[in-house]
Amino acid sequence: MLKLIQDTLISQVVTLWTVFRHLFVKTDTVEYPDEQPYMFPRWRGRIILSRDPDGEERCVACNLCAVACPVDCIALQKAEKDDGRWYPEFFRINFSRCIMCGFCEEACPTHAIQLTPDFEMAEYKRQDMVWEKQDLLIDGTGKYHDYNFYRVAGMSIKDKDKGEALNEAKPIDVRSLMP
Amino acid sequence: MTLEIGSALTIGLILGTVIGVAAMLIWVERRLLGFWQDRLGPNRVGPFGLFQVVADMIKIFTKEDWTPPFADKFSFVLAPAIIMTVILLSFAVVPFAPNLGIVDSNIGVLFVLAMASLGAYSVMLGGLSSDNKYALLGSLRAAAQMVSYEVFMGISLLGVVALSGSFNLREIVLAQEDMWYVLPQFVGFVIFLIAGVAESHRLPFDIPEAEQEICAGYHTEYSGMKFGMFFVGEYLGLVLISSLITVLFFGGWYGPAFLPPVFWFAIKAFAFIAFFILLRAAIPRPRYDQLMSYGWLFLLPLSLINLLVTGAIILNSQ
Amino acid sequence: MTILFYLASAIAIISTLCVILQTNIVHALIYLILSLLAVAVIFYVLGAPFAAVLEAIVYAGAIMVLFLFVIMMLNMGQHTRDQEKSWLSARGWIAPGVMAGLLLVQLLSVFAQIDQDLSGQRIDVMAVSGLLFGPYVLAVELASILLLAGLVSAYHLAKK
């Protein structure tokens, strides 16, 4: 009998009181268009292409992002400059397919493709969701301010031969017998 | 322009107020539920979102009012009309203030019970005529639930009737000038509260229209204004049950003299409406068989014992 | 009051006719409920408000709900409607029609002998309950024992 009263009456009344007290608890709602919610820096939103500290494009058109993308929303075409640097001739992201998973960012060897905490990307026309390179490319360095791929990588370009990059030793001549 | 029992002005006023309050409850309920769940609720349309009601009404009036071709048209159209009619008729015997009411009837309590039992047809016909599995299941549940809980509702009221010696709701209020019946009839009050929730099939006893199990139950096939009538009918039932609790157990219009009587009635009734919304926010829905066994095996004996003890005490004190 | 009486009587008679003539069983039930409610109004007009309300609660509100409940369980469709229609043939009408006509004549002759006074005295709840728990207390108790037996046996059957 006591257990019946506990189950049917007291626990219900306690529940009611607990819920009622929430009338005096501050609401969790952020009234979005009027006030912006705080977005965390590593939040995965709109995708950008960043530049290195010298102002050159970071993307080397390696296609790893396009391969990593689970919904195949990235399309690009490699081209080469006179000085030997690779760059994408076009770089196209179809945001109507993109699921903001961030795999492209993880796959990118040059920190070129990055996800930003911006989510306000609604459009009226589906075609407007397809972003070209000029839409994606920003003038800054994104999350990695000092990184410059060609300065640390062993790839040779004009004015920089193999072994001249930062923290890099001269290449070993494997045909020599010298120690 | 004086307000008297039964004048055309009073009838119009009460009808308008009751329907207006029921419509406003759409907003009140959503807002209160929001606060209890640490949200804000609708606050965009007009000040504090007050015009949400207008927006909802425009929406519901302009929606397509569709009757399924497989439905039994006669009963399909009749069902939503029944619930509105029956509940609005019940308000006829409710005394709102010393000289405010529609009918001063000697059988007020019984009239309300009769109307409540007729209200079951709305739900049953609605489900049966829809020719839809979910609707049929919903109305089967509704029929069993409403018929069962009518019994306890009636028996729990008899304690009050025995104490006041009248079926007239106005005389019941007058008999509570010194002491509200909630004190001597606390058990009856609790049973009436539970039965009232089940009778107006509000959450947590909204088993006939349990969304998670059977879509929307008996009004699965309804749309547009027919659905709107079921919707407003539910809120009207809420207002009716709150008013009845106020009249039967909480002294109707009695209260300290600094406010007019009708305000006291409104305050008490609104407190119970808020309580019903709190029930919705807090308590999960029981299973169907749990509801039935709880009613027949716990509430029925309890209400009978309550009636027996009340009768014994009255006989003893005479 | 007299107008109300004749109006309610007309509704009761017409809706009862509709109950018989309807082939759709749900519609027939709705007309039966209407007829019972009309009878309740007649009771009220004749000065028996308690009987009127009980008619509405018990017959229209509870028993008819159970009828509807059973109809929900059965699978009523077009074929039952066709069956009903075939039963409503002209030949089937003769015997019940003659008997009902005889009853009507009898009823009218009885009515002709008593004076038709609609403004009879009002019998309120107190008077009815005084009678029920006074002279007729034995009948009430017997009926309640019968109902209790029914309740217990229903519970037993449901338990099995």
Side-chain angles (χ1 to χ4, degrees):
Chain A
M1 186 68 199
L2 215 65
K3 192 180 173 297
L4 189 72
I5 291 173
Q6 160 73 26
D7 285 355
T8 55
L9 200 64
I10 296 177
S11 74
Q12 309 290 340
V13 172
V14 169
T15 313
L16 285 176
W17 175 243
T18 313
V19 174
F20 180 74
R21 270 188 329 196
H22 275 265
L23 200 57
F24 309 106
V25 172
K26 197 178 169 299
T27 54
D28 289 334
T29 312
V30 178
E31 294 191 69
Y32 159 61
D34 300 339
E35 53 183 278
Q36 285 291 331
Y38 174 71
M39 302 304 292
F40 292 93
R42 288 201 266 175
W43 205 81
R44 299 199 304 264
R46 178 167 61 90
I47 296 171
I48 51 116
L49 287 174
S50 60
R51 290 174 188 272
D52 63 22
D54 301 339
E56 300 282 342
E57 281 175 46
R58 266 180 178 155
C59 181
V60 294
C62 67
N63 262 310
L64 280 174
C65 49
V67 172
C69 183
V71 291
D72 284 348
C73 69
I74 303 176
L76 69 153
Q77 174 64 52
K78 186 210 123 185
E80 201 168 334
K81 284 185 191 166
D82 296 340
D83 59 358
R85 289 179 65 140
W86 290 13
Y87 72 100
E89 195 183 340
F90 67 85
F91 197 106
R92 190 176 293 144
I93 297 182
N94 185 350
F95 276 110
S96 65
R97 304 188 72 175
C98 179
I99 56 172
M100 310 289 171
C101 64
F103 283 7
C104 48
E105 186 176 9
E106 284 177 30
C108 186
T110 67
H111 292 319
I113 192 164
Q114 293 178 12
L115 273 73
T116 58
D118 177 21
F119 57 92
E120 291 166 317
M121 303 171 65
E123 296 285 351
Y124 285 104
K125 281 200 305 236
R126 189 160 280 247
Q127 203 55 41
D128 293 348
M129 304 283 282
V130 179
W131 287 37
E132 294 294 339
K133 189 166 132 187
Q134 66 264 29
D135 309 317
L136 294 164
L137 199 62
I138 61 164
D139 286 336
T141 54
K143 282 179 263 194
Y144 309 98
H145 301 297
D146 303 323
Y147 182 80
N148 188 329
F149 174 73
Y150 284 103
R151 233 181 269 159
V152 295
M155 188 176 173
S156 66
I157 50 170
K158 197 183 166 197
D159 302 334
K160 184 190 115 221
D161 208 351
K162 288 204 170 184
E164 286 175 13
L166 289 172
N167 302 324
E168 194 188 19
K170 284 282 177 192
I172 295 167
D173 186 1
V174 291
R175 291 189 176 80
S176 152
L177 287 173
M178 294 300 285
Chain B
M1 209 177 90
T2 49
L3 294 176
E4 276 172 20
I5 294 168
S7 69
L9 182 69
T10 323
I11 294 172
L13 193 78
I14 289 174
L15 211 62
T17 313
V18 162
I19 294 177
V21 166
M24 279 311 287
L25 279 184
I26 298 169
W27 173 76
V28 169
E29 170 157 43
R30 288 172 68 184
R31 209 67 216 264
L32 277 178
L33 278 179
F35 282 131
W36 277 318
Q37 293 165 356
D38 291 352
R39 301 183 284 112
L40 283 171
N43 65 345
R44 292 279 140 186
V45 196
F48 305 107
L50 267 170
F51 298 146
Q52 184 69 41
V53 181
V54 182
D56 279 354
M57 273 158 108
I58 291 172
K59 182 196 80 175
I60 221 158
F61 273 117
T62 51
K63 266 191 169 182
E64 185 188 2
D65 197 352
W66 190 66
T67 309
F70 47 80
D72 177 16
K73 202 158 182 208
F74 176 66
S75 353
F76 192 81
V77 176
L78 191 67
I82 291 177
I83 193 153
M84 285 284 280
T85 317
V86 153
I87 293 178
L88 285 177
L89 272 176
S90 302
F91 276 103
V93 291
V94 176
F96 293 94
N99 52 1
L100 190 62
I102 297 176
V103 185
D104 196 6
S105 172
N106 274 328
I107 48 165
V109 175
L110 293 170
F111 183 76
V112 170
L113 286 177
M115 287 300 129
S117 61
L118 288 183
Y121 287 116
S122 162
V123 177
M124 294 177 74
L125 287 177
L128 185 59
S129 62
S130 295
D131 214 357
N132 171 315
K133 287 172 204 150
Y134 293 119
L136 187 68
L137 277 175
S139 52
L140 272 177
R141 290 175 173 200
Q145 174 182 335
M146 291 181 83
V147 169
S148 306
Y149 276 76
E150 253 162 44
V151 176
F152 326 129
M153 200 176 182
I155 297 176
S156 65
L157 284 182
L158 287 184
V160 169
V161 173
L163 279 177
S164 66
S166 171
F167 277 118
N168 188 335
L169 285 167
R170 191 169 294 278
E171 280 171 24
I172 289 174
V173 174
L174 290 173
Q176 296 179 69
E177 191 164 12
D178 302 322
M179 182 173 63
W180 293 354
Y181 281 154
V182 67
L183 293 174
Q185 281 295 314
F186 186 72
V187 179
F189 161 64
V190 172
I191 295 168
F192 185 78
L193 194 73
I194 295 169
V197 178
E199 197 64 16
S200 55
H201 34 86
R202 290 270 313 166
L203 278 126
F205 294 155
D206 69 332
I207 290 166
E209 47 190 301
E211 287 105 327
Q212 290 84 355
E213 304 158 28
I214 47 171
C215 290
Y218 59 89
H219 55 59
T220 305
E221 294 288 353
Y222 280 89
S223 61
M225 200 48 217
K226 291 204 205 76
F227 169 75
M229 278 164 92
F230 272 124
F231 195 57
V232 173
E234 187 184 319
Y235 284 113
L236 277 174
L238 186 63
V239 177
L240 178 69
I241 293 290
S242 304
S243 311
L244 280 180
I245 291 173
T246 308
V247 165
L248 291 164
F249 296 98
F250 282 82
W253 59 74
Y254 284 119
F258 58 85
L259 278 178
V262 70
F263 276 87
W264 280 113
F265 186 93
I267 288 168
K268 288 174 191 174
F270 183 75
F272 282 106
I273 290 170
F275 179 74
F276 280 124
I277 296 170
L278 178 61
L279 278 180
R280 175 177 183 169
I283 297 187
R285 181 188 304 130
R287 234 168 42 218
Y288 176 64
D289 60 317
Q290 285 172 335
L291 181 85
M292 295 307 280
S293 61
Y294 179 68
W296 285 107
L297 300 182
F298 183 70
L299 286 184
L300 180 67
L302 194 69
S303 54
L304 284 174
I305 292 169
N306 175 49
L307 182 60
L308 204 67
V309 171
T310 312
I313 290 173
I314 291 171
L315 274 183
N316 198 33
S317 62
Q318 270 175 359
Chain C
M1 276 306 203
T2 316
I3 297 168
L4 205 61
F5 173 81
Y6 283 114
L7 204 64
S9 312
I11 290 172
I13 290 167
I14 292 167
S15 55
T16 312
L17 269 176
C18 287
V19 174
I20 300 165
L21 294 174
Q22 268 300 330
T23 51
N24 187 331
I25 190 153
V26 178
H27 296 185
L29 254 182
I30 295 172
Y31 281 120
L32 187 52
I33 295 161
L34 192 64
S35 157
L36 287 169
L37 287 178
V39 172
V41 173
I42 293 173
F43 275 138
Y44 190 85
V45 172
L46 289 178
F50 191 61
V53 174
L54 279 192
E55 172 97 12
I57 293 179
V58 176
Y59 286 95
I63 293 176
M64 287 299 121
V65 168
L66 293 181
F67 271 56
L68 205 54
F69 197 85
V70 172
I71 286 169
M72 277 185 197
M73 306 273 204
L74 310 172
N75 192 13
M76 298 291 183
Q78 190 58 47
H79 66 282
T80 48
R81 242 167 281 163
D82 295 339
Q83 202 179 23
E84 284 282 330
K85 231 173 228 148
S86 69
W87 285 345
L88 282 176
S89 62
R91 268 192 19 189
W93 278 96
I94 298 170
V98 169
M99 283 192 275
L102 280 176
L103 260 181
L104 187 68
V105 172
Q106 236 174 352
L107 202 66
L108 286 177
S109 62
V110 170
F111 274 156
Q113 283 159 21
I114 54 171
D115 51 341
Q116 300 156 6
D117 188 14
L118 286 184
S119 56
Q121 72 199 46
R122 288 179 70 83
I123 304 162
D124 60 352
V125 185
M126 285 284 194
V128 174
S129 45
L131 279 175
L132 279 181
F133 289 97
Y136 299 113
V137 69
L138 190 66
V140 171
E141 289 303 316
L142 279 176
S144 69
I145 287 168
L146 191 66
L147 284 176
L148 188 67
L151 195 70
V152 170
S153 51
Y155 180 69
H156 178 70
L157 282 176
K159 203 115 201 206
K160 251 201 284 198

